[in-house]
Amino acid sequence: MNFLKIAAFGLLCAAAWRAPADFTTEPLPDHDALFDRQEGWTGADGAASVPLAGGKVLWLFDDSWIGSIQDGKHINASMVSNTVAIQSKSASSAIEFYHGMRNGKPAQFFFPADGKGLFWPSSGISTEKGLYLFMNRILKK
């Protein structure tokens, strides 16, 4: 009996499956330009965006470069485990980047209260009750 239910479920799933529609992608130069920077925040690996009230967007970044770029290379730069940015209302409008400072040097924006490990933000959601961020905590052995 269970086999018949599983087989029937499989047939229903197969009948409901449709091939994805053809689509294309292309760069948006105005959007790319927001992240093309030579000073301050100059890049990161992980990135996630969270819509905020008023049409703003919170950007969450993992390992991030803070410093300068000269001739395509990082100079006088530090890498920190996370940074954030706030983008204004329109998608191609200004964006401001933020990181922490410790002992006069760039530091991560979020850090564990107990000082152990680091955070890599992964996503978030803004609700009527507040902003909730989801982060991976990385502990070194």
Side-chain angles (χ1 to χ4, degrees), residues 10-50:
L11 288 173
L12 286 172
C13 289
W17 182 84
R18 289 183 168 72
D22 289 338
F23 66 92
T24 60
T25 62
E26 59 186 67
L28 295 171
D30 290 347
H31 298 285
D32 286 347
L34 293 172
F35 301 95
D36 186 11
R37 300 169 46 89
Q38 303 299 307
E39 291 287 330
W41 182 97
T42 58
D45 57 5
S49 58
V50 181

Side-chain angles (χ1 to χ4, degrees), residues 43-60:
D45 57 5
S49 58
V50 181
L52 300 175
K56 293 185 178 184
V57 176
L58 169 66
W59 286 92
L60 304 167

Side-chain angles (χ1 to χ4, degrees), residues 6-138:
I6 293 170
F9 178 74
L11 288 173
L12 286 172
C13 289
W17 182 84
R18 289 183 168 72
D22 289 338
F23 66 92
T24 60
T25 62
E26 59 186 67
L28 295 171
D30 290 347
H31 298 285
D32 286 347
L34 293 172
F35 301 95
D36 186 11
R37 300 169 46 89
Q38 303 299 307
E39 291 287 330
W41 182 97
T42 58
D45 57 5
S49 58
V50 181
L52 300 175
K56 293 185 178 184
V57 176
L58 169 66
W59 286 92
L60 304 167
F61 301 103
D62 292 343
D63 292 337
S64 304
W65 285 104
I66 310 298
S68 301
I69 293 182
Q70 195 172 66
D71 298 323
K73 296 180 183 177
H74 289 103
I75 61 166
N76 302 321
S78 300
M79 182 176 281
V80 300
S81 62
N82 61 68
T83 56
V84 299
I86 301 289
Q87 185 178 1
S88 301
K89 287 185 178 186
S90 71
S92 61
S93 63
I95 188 168
E96 293 189 36
F97 295 83
Y98 301 93
H99 59 83
M101 292 293 286
R102 288 224 171 138
N103 301 320
K105 295 184 179 187
Q108 67 268 26
F109 190 83
F110 302 108
F111 56 92
D114 63 8
K116 296 178 182 175
L118 56 91
F119 285 131
W120 283 334
S122 60
S123 64
I125 185 169
S126 181
T127 71
E128 292 176 0
K129 293 185 177 183
L131 176 64
Y132 298 89
L133 301 178
F134 305 96
M135 301 189 200
N136 297 305
R137 184 174 185 179
I138 309 302

